[in-house]
Amino acid sequence: MLPKLRYWWQAKRSSFWFVPAVMVLDAVALATLLITLDANVDLHVVERWPLLFGAGADGARGLLTAVAGSMITVAGVVFSITLVALALALASSQYTSRVIRNFMRDRVNQAVLGVFVGIFAYCLVVLRTIRGGDEGGFVPTLAVLGGLILAFVGIGVLIYFIHYVSTSIQASRIIAAAAQETLAAVDQLFPETLGDHADEDTDANLARALAMRAWVAVPADRTGYIETVDADALLAVARAHGTIVRMDRGIGDFVVAGTPLVSAIDHGGLDDRITAELNAPFVVSRQRTVEQDVAFGIRQIVDIAMKALSPGVNDTTTAVMCVDYLTAILVRLAPRRIAAAHRLDQDALRVIARGPSFGGLVSESFDQIRQNAGGNVAVLLRMLGALEAIASRTLNSDRRRVLAQTVEAIAEAAERTIDSPRDRARLGDRLTRVRDVLATEPVVFVRAHQDGRAAR
């Protein structure tokens, strides 16, 4: 149930209403507390500071009415500013539409809206308790002062929010935020270092034996993107029924209801109950998320680079920035162990998972940028520098082979699209340097790894 709860929390956190709703409840609780304190404890504050606490019922009502009206107006302005910022970002054709979700789940945007709506709710609750002389004569002086203080807090938050929005739609901020989220996913999903060992299954005999078994396809019961998979629950289902389960769709894949989601070794047929049990570990949503899908974080940055390289925009600086952050992600990933596809339970194969591979993530990062960066010397040079940096962080021969293939693809693109002899010479020098790095064992990294101090 933990992945289900995590998915529920991520969905609530990504919504634009959850944090403001919690802050409204907090504001109501604060108002109730101060009103109760005013009603039950005689603090003599009016006699001690009459200018600060000595407002009558009419004055208190006027103050709180003004604060409540202004706060709900400002809340509408904040919401409008957020939408206008999104519209400007998309209208500029500089960003992908997938970054909208990042704006909506931004804690600052949520908290600012919550502050103003919360102050409005606070004032409403306090206004309800104020009584004039004919009504019993009750003015919650502490609560009224709290409303005044919250009004000044709202002014400060508004000033900060205007500054924040003006910086949050800048390309560097959006790309850095997407990269930071992806790096956090890398640390969570791949915490172990790889060392000298391969990270993929290499038992060809086992693969051939499994291919000859009779598999029964289990259809998906929902349509959408696979957001998370509870690997432990899937393993438990396979163990309970004494079968082997093969994932036909992995995290980030789109699945259509009625098409194969997983396959299982046929032991006499799978009834509806087993089909439901095999569907239960999969969380299918309307969109991909980064938390268990590093490729989606990379995809967002690549999309921005593609927009920047389009003829209508032609923003080389943004494309180079995207390559830099993709480099940071792959440098972090290069020495990490990616779980093998075959999952065992007490030495018995139970699950054949479908997950990311280092080669697939490198291809996701650089292939489309390379295909659209023809003739752009700055981007091609930066990509070669990225591959050099990544190569210095891994000892694995398979991964270095993937990087070498990417280098040769860039060399082919440069040979085909660069006409200037000087530019071709610059690229040739960099290609020679990267090829030398790939052909040479990274001694410094080896020593750090052997000492148990490999940088992460």
Side-chain angles (χ1 to χ4, degrees):
M1 289 300 295
L2 185 58
K4 296 280 187 179
L5 292 175
R6 188 184 299 117
Y7 165 74
W8 179 87
W9 172 246
Q10 290 170 357
K12 294 298 177 286
R13 182 185 179 277
S14 301
S15 65
F16 201 51
W17 63 268
F18 181 72
V19 171
V22 171
M23 296 182 71
V24 167
L25 294 177
D26 291 341
V28 171
L30 176 62
T32 303
L33 176 64
L34 292 178
I35 292 168
T36 302
L37 187 63
D38 275 314
N40 294 282
V41 181
D42 188 4
L43 301 177
H44 303 288
V45 292
V46 176
E47 293 82 358
R48 294 178 183 176
W49 297 287
L51 294 179
L52 188 60
F53 296 98
D58 292 338
R61 285 196 188 101
L63 172 63
L64 293 176
T65 300
V67 172
S70 60
M71 288 301 110
I72 198 63
T73 301
V74 173
V77 172
V78 166
F79 188 71
S80 300
I81 289 175
T82 303
L83 292 181
V84 168
L86 289 174
L88 288 175
L90 293 177
S92 67
S93 298
Q94 190 174 12
Y95 313 128
T96 170
S97 60
R98 275 171 279 276
V99 304
I100 291 180
R101 184 172 181 270
N102 295 341
F103 277 97
M104 301 302 289
R105 62 180 289 164
D106 188 285
R107 280 295 180 86
V108 173
N109 291 336
Q110 296 172 357
V112 168
L113 181 62
V115 166
F116 295 120
V117 179
I119 295 174
F120 174 75
Y122 176 95
C123 293
L124 288 184
V125 173
V126 178
L127 273 170
R128 179 66 180 81
T129 64
I130 298 176
R131 299 288 186 271
D134 297 336
E135 302 170 306
F138 176 69
V139 178
T141 53
L142 286 179
V144 172
L145 178 62
L148 179 62
I149 294 174
L150 289 175
F152 284 106
V153 171
I155 293 172
V157 169
L158 178 61
I159 294 172
Y160 170 76
F161 180 70
I162 293 173
H163 161 77
Y164 181 81
V165 168
S166 64
T167 59
S168 63
I169 62 174
Q170 296 177 10
S172 58
R173 184 70 174 266
I174 293 175
I175 299 169
Q180 193 63 39
E181 191 175 27
T182 308
L183 288 169
V186 169
D187 291 338
Q188 178 185 352
L189 298 174
F190 315 115
E192 299 179 3
T193 56
L194 178 64
D196 300 326
H197 305 288
D199 62 325
E200 297 177 352
D201 297 304
T202 56
D203 191 342
N205 294 327
L206 176 61
R208 284 193 294 268
L210 290 173
M212 299 178 65
R213 301 291 294 271
W215 295 89
V216 176
V218 177
D221 58 7
R222 285 155 291 177
T223 296
Y225 289 97
I226 299 176
E227 187 170 329
T228 62
V229 178
D230 188 344
D232 293 336
L234 193 62
L235 184 65
V237 174
R239 181 196 310 121
H241 297 284
T243 186
I244 301 174
V245 176
R246 182 185 65 199
M247 292 174 55
D248 294 329
R249 296 288 185 273
I251 293 176
D253 289 343
F254 187 80
V255 61
V256 178
T259 61
L261 176 66
V262 300
S263 297
I265 297 293
D266 188 7
H267 290 302
L270 301 177
D271 56 23
D272 293 340
R273 180 178 61 86
I274 299 177
T275 298
E277 290 178 358
L278 290 172
N279 270 271
F282 292 81
V283 175
V284 179
S285 178
R286 290 176 293 180
Q287 56 189 358
R288 297 170 68 180
T289 59
V290 179
E291 283 75 13
Q292 287 197 18
D293 188 2
V294 172
F296 181 60
I298 291 173
R299 180 76 259 167
Q300 293 182 71
I301 300 175
V302 171
D303 285 345
I304 296 175
M306 298 287 289
K307 292 276 189 179
L309 290 172
S310 64
V313 177
N314 196 22
D315 185 0
T316 298
T317 300
T318 297
V320 167
M321 193 180 304
C322 291
V323 173
D324 289 339
Y325 279 103
L326 291 170
T327 306
I329 294 169
L330 293 175
V331 163
R332 182 78 63 88
L333 180 67
R336 302 294 181 89
R337 180 185 299 278
I338 298 177
H342 294 161
R343 311 291 168 84
L344 306 179
D345 177 55
Q346 297 180 351
D347 296 328
L349 178 64
R350 291 300 181 195
V351 175
I352 304 175
R354 185 185 181 98
S357 65
F358 181 77
L361 294 176
V362 171
S363 177
E364 183 81 19
S365 299
F366 294 132
D367 280 1
Q368 284 191 301
I369 296 178
R370 167 181 55 80
Q371 292 162 5
N372 289 269
N376 195 319
V377 179
V379 175
L380 294 175
L381 282 172
R382 192 58 62 96
M383 290 175 67
L384 291 174
L387 294 168
E388 179 182 351
I390 299 165
S392 68
R393 294 287 287 130
T394 180
L395 299 168
N396 185 271
S397 59
D398 291 336
R399 294 186 176 186
R400 292 170 74 85
R401 188 178 304 111
V402 168
L403 297 176
Q405 293 171 353
T406 307
V407 168
E408 296 310 315
I410 294 174
E412 186 275 331
E415 181 71 23
R416 177 169 40 83
T417 61
I418 302 297
D419 296 326
S420 170
R422 182 174 180 178
D423 291 337
R424 291 166 71 94
R426 290 176 59 196
L427 283 164
D429 292 341
R430 195 56 183 266
L431 278 167
T432 301
R433 177 177 169 181
V434 177
R435 286 165 175 158
D436 289 343
V437 170
L438 285 167
T440 305
E441 190 174 357
V443 178
V444 175
F445 180 79
V446 171
R447 289 174 180 169
H449 176 75
Q450 289 175 345
D451 292 340
R453 299 189 300 270
R456 291 193 176 189

